[in-house]
Structures are given as C-alpha cells and as structure tokens.
Amino acid sequence: MTTLNETIQIDRPAREVFQYVSDFATCMEWDATAIETERLDDQPVGVGTRYKVVCEAPVGKLPLEYEIVEYEPDHKIVLIGRGRFFEVEDTILVTPTSSGCELDYTAVFTWKPWLERFAQKMEPGLKRMGYASVQKGLKAALDDDFPAPELSEENARADRFVPTALVRFTKRGYKRGAKKLFNPMSRYMGDKHVVLTGATAGLGKATAEFLAYRGAKLTLVVRNREKGEELVRELKARTGNRHIGLEIADLSLIADADKVVANLSKKGEPIDVLINNAGALFNPRQETSEGLEQSFALLLLSPFRLTEGLKPLLKKAANARGEARVINVVSGGMYSQKLKVWDLQNEQDKYSGSVAYARCKRALMIKTEQWAEDWADDGIVINAMHPGWADTPGVETALPEFHKLTRLVLRTPEEGADTINWLAVASEAGQLSGKLFLDREPRTTHLTDSTRESAESREQLRDILDNWDNTRASDKAA
Ligand SMILES: NC(=O)c1ccc[n+]([C@@H]2O[C@H](COP(=O)([O-])OP(=O)(O)OC[C@H]3O[C@@H](n4cnc5c(N)ncnc54)[C@H](OP(=O)(O)O)[C@@H]3O)[C@@H](O)[C@H]2O)c1
C-alpha cells in the first residue's frame, strides 16, 4: 500500500472549490498525469457516478475507471479508481477556514500482489506526481489567476497563409490548442444566469450541457417547444441542475426576438452571459413572413435585437457581480467575404447561401467590435468566436458534400463548442472585449486585405441596424 497526502489553502468559499473538484471530469485540467477523461454514465455527480480517466505513466497509457463511493455536498468526496496495476482510493476533504477553505487530498494505492515488491521503488515517483497534481495543478486551477491570452506567434504565422489557417479549423487545430494553451476553468457558475440561443442541436447543445454541469442557471431560447422541453428534461436528469428554463422563439422573426427581450425584461433577472449561437445556412434565398431575407434576419438582425434589448439586464449583472459577457458565434466562412452594407439582405448578386451566411457573420463580427467600444464603460465584455469546422446536424444538412469530404477531420460538437464555454466561464476571458477567438486564442478577423471594410461602411452598418424600425416604417409608408 502507498499513501500520498497533500493539503492546500485556497482563498475561495468551500462551496466553489467543492463544485469544481467533485466533478472528476475536471481532473484533466489539473492532474499531472491525466490525458483523457470521460463520463461513463448519464447521472448527476454523486454516489455511483463513474468516470474513465486515462493517465500517462512511464509504462504507457493507463486507463482507470473511477467511481464516487461517498459524497457529502460541499465537504467530502471519496472515489475508487481501478486499473491494471492497482486500485486507488482518493479522499478529498474541503473545510472552510477564515480566509476561504482548506483542501486535503489523500490517495491510497493498493497494488496488485505481483507488484507489491516494486511498490517501494515507485513511491518517490508517485509522490512527485501527487505533489505536481495537487500543490501545482489543483492549486493553480483553484487560484484561477491566469493571464488573458494573446495571439501566439505560431498561430499568427499560420493565419498569414490561407491553407495553414484552414488546417486550424479541423480537429487538429483543436488538439494543438488543447495541448499547449488550455488553462483550467474553475470560476463558479452556480450564481450566474446564462441565456443561450440555439440550444437544441450541435454546438448549442454541447454548450448547454457543459454549463448545466457547471451549475449555471440557464435560459434556453429554442424555436421548437417539444424539442426544448425534451432537452430540459434530459439536462436536468443528467446533470442534476434544476435551474433550466425555456423561451420559445423563431429567431428569424424579429417580433419573436423582441418577445424574448420583453419576457426576460419583465422577469428582470440579471443576465451574466448572453450567447448568440442559433444559426443556419439557407438555400435558396427565401424571405420570412416579416419580409426579411432569412440569413440576414436570423444571423444578424436577430442577435442585434437580442443583444441591444437585453443590455439593461446585462448591465444589471455587471453592476451586481462586476461583469457580464456576450458571446457571438460567427464563422470562419466570414474570412471569404467583405461587408456589403448596401446589400445586407443579399438581393443584388446571384444568391448563394454560403455567401449570404458569411456576409452576415462578417457584419456580426463588426458589430461585436463596435459594441465592445461602445459598452467599454458598462462592465459588459463582448466577444465573437468561430468553432472551426464541427460535425453538427447543421453542417450535415446544409453542406452535405463538404460534410462527406471533411468528415474525418471535423471537430466533435464539444470541441467546436469549447471556446464558447471558455468565453462564458474562464475568468481571464472577462479581461478581453471586441475580439474573435478560435481555440481560446484571439485571432485575426481578416486572412487577406481584400475583405477589409472601410470606416464609412462600418458606420453605415451601425446606422442601419440602430435605425431599423424607423427605416422599415418609412419604407412601408412610401
Ligand atoms: N458547425 C460548424 O462547423 C460551424 C462553423 C461555423 C459557424 N457555426 C455556427 O455555430 C452556430 C451553431 O451551429 P451548429 O453547427 O451547431 O448548427 P445546428 O446543428 O444546425 O444547430 C443550430 C441551432 O440553432 C437553432 N436554430 C436554427 N434556426 C433557428 C431559428 N430560426 N430560431 C431559433 N433557433 C434556430 C437550431 O434549432 P433546431 O434544433 O430547432 O433546428 C439549433 O438548435 C451557428 O451560428 C453556426 O453558424 C458552426
């Protein structure tokens, strides 16, 4: 038997610390040897929850199956891990102190009989691993004091050449980012309210699940009530999070977007994070029952109305808790297009769904930069991200040929959604505003100069969106 014990002091409430460590899916973020974790069941964290953890050991990859055997909320968790060479009992105790809490971590290894005689030899290495995991990894994760990321020289170089920039859109880009850059995200979300659009599929669904596990209060804006209710049932059962509600809205209808704003404003609950994720690519060109071209309505005007309309609730959260965040999900497709401010509804050229989509995302990126400037003193940070290429129902349906061709290199929805989650949760993400992110790193908004818009077009875009109702009313009157 070998016993390791480490104790650390953390300047945070016990509840926050417990919430983070008790979900062993986070151990990848701080354990010195874990390289993969996976939940093995669909149940809230508690007695019986099982995880697969793959560790990198001198003998190679070591898969372990962990199970929670004791769970005392906010205080104690005991896990048993079973592997080829040993069984390990991990006991984590969190105790409040005058300045925060103390975390005590004990791991007791019981070796397979044929390994007992080597146990003594392995002890120094294990002790080093325990120290690195708790005193360094877990302590840094819980101190949560990471610097805001900057564009790395390597990615800046990759973005100067379109083919290498595109390689970063694939699974490979995610894996490279995850290996080098990703810091733990232990910020407490149990007191945060997140409004998320397009939660019923793809990236939005992956984000909803991640945030539900983190304990955030969620308002999911979905267009299909049945699908929405099924999702809420599933998330509640799987994560144990009871605070998940719905707003029903077809966001290609501006009246519906405005209705969401009116409903949420009436409830008056502060919004800590607004995620404008709902999206689709339309072929052929179609207009909504409000007479707007669909891509423009869903991908630009609707997120614009939601964001502007919900600003008072974002501000309320910023006043109460120091900050609020808006995350606009755009697309790498925007790199191919320049803002065409005189044709926002894609009427003048021969219509292409991909071009219309890319132009709307380009315009939403520009709005993100303008909001960041305009709202700099309001405590609201606003950023955009693009997910690279992820295998979602949206991509499979709208781009079947592209999907067939790239299937093997597409990211999973979880990998595509990772930067949305990071922008919503990570403390350091709150230090930046008006940026475009891929894999948790700010990236260039133009791969070539040919897509750069003029200062005048940017101002025109601002005017058109700000004065949309007045312009429409006078168009109708004419
Ligand atoms: N996947 C990628 O590789 C990729 C790449 C670049 C950008 N993006 C962007 O990422 C976001 C999510 O895309 P995804 O790939 O996850 O797509 P997805 O699998 O098609 O999911 C889209 C979500 O948006 C919802 N939605 C679509 N139209 C809506 C409407 N009119 N009103 C309300 N909700 C609506 C869908 O609801 P239903 O379930 O009811 O259909 C679904 O929940 C989009 O903004 C997309 O442009 C994705």
Side-chain angles (χ1 to χ4, degrees):
M1 218 143 72
T2 309
T3 300
L4 310 179
N5 178 259
E6 299 288 345
T7 302
I8 50 177
Q9 309 294 326
I10 304 131
D11 241 1
R12 292 172 66 177
R15 182 184 59 155
E16 293 191 7
V17 167
F18 187 83
Q19 221 265 346
Y20 179 71
V21 287
S22 61
D23 185 354
F24 220 53
T26 62
C27 80
M28 259 268 292
E29 296 187 337
W30 50 265
D31 186 282
T33 58
I35 50 168
E36 236 180 275
T37 49
E38 191 190 330
R39 295 176 203 283
L40 293 178
D41 45 37
D42 283 346
Q43 67 163 66
V45 176
V47 172
T49 307
R50 292 179 306 119
Y51 301 91
K52 178 179 164 193
V53 178
V54 179
C55 295
E56 197 140 61
V59 288
K61 284 187 183 175
L62 212 60
L64 290 164
E65 199 172 309
Y66 275 91
E67 181 174 347
I68 299 179
V69 294
E70 227 183 296
Y71 185 87
E72 208 181 301
D74 296 347
H75 179 51
K76 183 178 183 187
I77 178 163
V78 182
L79 299 114
I80 303 278
R82 294 183 179 90
R84 240 180 313 151
F85 303 127
F86 57 80
E87 186 174 296
V88 57
E89 183 180 274
D90 287 12
T91 304
I92 307 170
L93 281 173
V94 182
T95 315
T97 61
S98 55
S99 61
C101 66
E102 179 178 279
L103 183 146
D104 184 83
Y105 201 124
T106 307
V108 181
F109 291 80
T110 308
W111 302 97
K112 296 277 170 183
W114 55 274
L115 262 179
E116 268 297 347
R117 62 198 171 101
F118 297 111
Q120 230 178 347
K121 279 206 175 124
M122 288 185 285
E123 200 166 307
L126 275 175
K127 288 217 149 116
R128 275 196 301 275
M129 179 272 293
Y131 179 87
S133 298
V134 180
Q135 300 288 354
K136 295 207 163 145
L138 195 49
K139 175 84 171 104
L142 290 164
D143 284 347
D144 195 21
D145 190 21
F146 300 102
E150 289 173 5
L151 173 61
S152 61
E153 182 43 45
E154 192 188 350
N155 279 332
R157 222 178 308 120
D159 285 352
R160 271 178 228 133
F161 186 50
V162 176
T164 45
L166 295 185
V167 171
R168 298 292 200 271
F169 287 23
T170 67
K171 213 177 213 348
R172 265 181 68 182
Y174 172 81
K175 296 242 184 289
R176 177 190 290 262
K179 217 169 178 176
K180 291 195 174 170
L181 293 164
F182 291 3
N183 284 321
M185 295 186 271
S186 73
R187 182 161 157 264
Y188 185 64
M189 293 301 285
D191 55 358
K192 311 280 188 303
H193 176 207
V194 181
V195 175
L196 165 66
T197 71
T200 44
L203 308 181
K205 194 168 178 187
T207 291
E209 184 174 322
F210 178 85
L211 292 172
Y213 269 117
R214 288 300 177 108
K217 176 167 187 175
L218 297 177
T219 299
L220 308 178
V221 185
V222 306
R223 62 175 159 179
N224 180 318
R225 182 178 291 279
E226 255 175 50
K227 237 173 152 178
E229 285 173 352
E230 177 57 35
L231 174 66
V232 172
R233 263 195 302 277
E234 186 187 317
L235 288 176
K236 283 184 174 173
R238 190 173 320 154
T239 67
N241 186 331
R242 313 309 306 159
H243 308 288
I244 309 175
L246 282 181
E247 281 290 327
I248 309 298
D250 177 344
L251 291 173
S252 65
L253 297 176
I254 304 312
D256 274 23
D258 290 349
K259 191 186 71 193
V260 172
V261 170
N263 288 348
L264 294 178
S265 304
K266 201 163 146 209
K267 288 182 190 158
E269 179 162 3
I271 296 174
D272 296 278
V273 187
L274 166 64
I275 306 173
N276 289 310
N277 162 74
L281 190 154
F282 301 103
N283 270 315
R285 186 181 187 282
Q286 272 179 34
E287 292 190 355
T288 66
S289 57
E290 294 176 331
L292 300 177
E293 190 276 312
Q294 287 201 76
S295 329
F296 167 71
L298 178 64
L299 302 173
L300 181 58
L301 189 55
S302 173
F304 171 79
R305 294 291 270 242
L306 278 183
T307 308
E308 287 284 340
L310 294 174
K311 185 184 174 198
L313 294 178
L314 289 160
K315 200 144 183 234
K316 213 168 161 184
N319 290 341
R321 289 189 272 275
E323 62 158 83
R325 305 177 181 195
V326 179
I327 301 159
N328 290 323
V329 178
V330 296
S331 163
M334 78 171 189
Y335 283 126
S336 67
Q337 295 299 316
K338 185 172 177 171
L339 175 68
K340 262 200 160 178
V341 76
W342 61 92
D343 187 23
L344 288 177
Q345 296 202 57
N346 307 293
E347 290 164 300
Q348 294 183 2
D349 300 334
K350 185 168 176 287
Y351 179 83
S352 145
S354 307
V355 170
Y357 171 92
R359 284 187 188 152
C360 290
K361 296 289 191 184
R362 165 68 68 202
L364 187 60
M365 182 65 235
I366 295 169
K367 261 323 297 175
T368 304
E369 292 168 336
Q370 291 178 340
W371 270 315
E373 267 175 43
D374 298 348
W375 296 2
D377 296 331
D378 291 306
I380 305 168
V381 297
I382 173 153
N383 287 296
M385 62 75 67
H386 84 86
W389 293 324
D391 193 350
T392 62
V395 168
E396 192 173 0
T397 320
L399 301 167
E401 288 306 317
F402 170 81
H403 181 261
K404 222 186 283 166
L405 247 144
T406 55
R407 206 166 28 95
L408 295 177
V409 297
L410 291 179
R411 298 166 180 231
T412 63
E414 289 72 26
E415 290 168 348
D418 174 79
T419 297
I420 308 178
N421 301 338
W422 177 81
L423 283 168
V425 173
S427 296
E428 64 273 25
Q431 297 170 30
L432 295 167
S433 194
K435 306 275 185 227
L436 168 71
F437 287 85
L438 170 65
D439 294 329
R440 306 189 188 184
E441 196 179 311
R443 308 297 282 260
T444 177
T445 53
H446 295 274
L447 291 181
T448 67
D449 283 340
S450 63
T451 57
R452 286 189 198 279
E453 66 285 340
S454 65
E456 198 190 349
S457 314
R458 292 171 71 91
E459 284 316 300
Q460 280 171 341
L461 176 69
R462 183 202 296 279
D463 281 352
I464 292 172
L465 294 174
D466 282 351
N467 298 307
W468 186 257
D469 286 338
N470 298 338
T471 317
R472 288 283 283 178
S474 53
D475 282 356
K476 276 189 183 152

